[in-house]
Amino acid sequence: VQLQASGGGLVQAGGSLRLSCVASGRAFRNYGMGWFRQTPGKEREFVAGVNWGGKFYADPVQGRFTISRDNAKNTVYLQMNNLKPEDTAVYYCAQGASHYSNRQQSSYKYWGQGTLVTVSS
């Protein structure tokens, strides 16, 4: 399985970015997908996920970020609006070990390489 994330970049506070993650190697629709982020010196943290039960978000991004998936394109997206400087991080996409992936990193089996998002104030 390979996950290829893209879409990161530099944006001013209040701006928007859309991250994409293309998956290959197994039946995409059968697995939950998630986005995590990490800043230097901090633990990687959950951002958003989508599984057969629906979509779910971390509290800091609720109402600003939207996760979606296109099973025909084997792609998961993260639309990020009203970005804040504290959203600056490397963002990773992940594919679940099953369709029951949740907020825990342990429920994800495969990880992408990360894409850097920098939000300037």
Side-chain angles (χ1 to χ4, degrees):
V1 173
Q2 290 188 331
L3 302 175
Q4 183 68 44
S6 62
L10 174 64
V11 65
Q12 288 188 331
S16 298
L17 281 175
R18 189 177 80 156
L19 306 183
S20 300
C21 176
V22 181
S24 61
R26 57 178 185 168
F28 180 78
R29 66 177 63 248
N30 291 343
Y31 300 95
M33 298 294 297
W35 288 96
F36 290 74
R37 66 187 182 187
Q38 188 172 24
T39 55
K42 294 184 67 176
E43 296 280 329
R44 187 160 53 186
E45 64 178 6
F46 170 78
V47 175
V50 55
N51 60 25
W52 284 13
K55 303 174 183 180
F56 42 101
Y57 301 90
D59 288 344
V61 308
Q62 182 77 47
R64 299 188 297 122
F65 291 10
T66 302
I67 189 170
S68 61
R69 65 189 299 164
D70 185 337
N71 289 335
K73 295 183 178 179
N74 290 353
T75 301
V76 63
Y77 304 97
L78 185 67
Q79 177 67 43
M80 305 185 294
N81 297 329
N82 190 21
L83 282 160
K84 303 176 180 181
E86 52 264 42
D87 295 317
T88 295
V90 176
Y91 283 72
Y92 298 89
C93 64
Q95 188 174 70
S98 73
H99 51 267
Y100 290 123
S101 57
N102 53 41
R103 300 166 185 265
Q104 303 301 316
Q105 295 187 53
S106 58
S107 69
Y108 295 87
K109 187 172 183 179
Y110 298 103
W111 295 82
Q113 85 288 2
T115 184
L116 177 62
V117 172
T118 303
V119 184
S120 63
S121 57

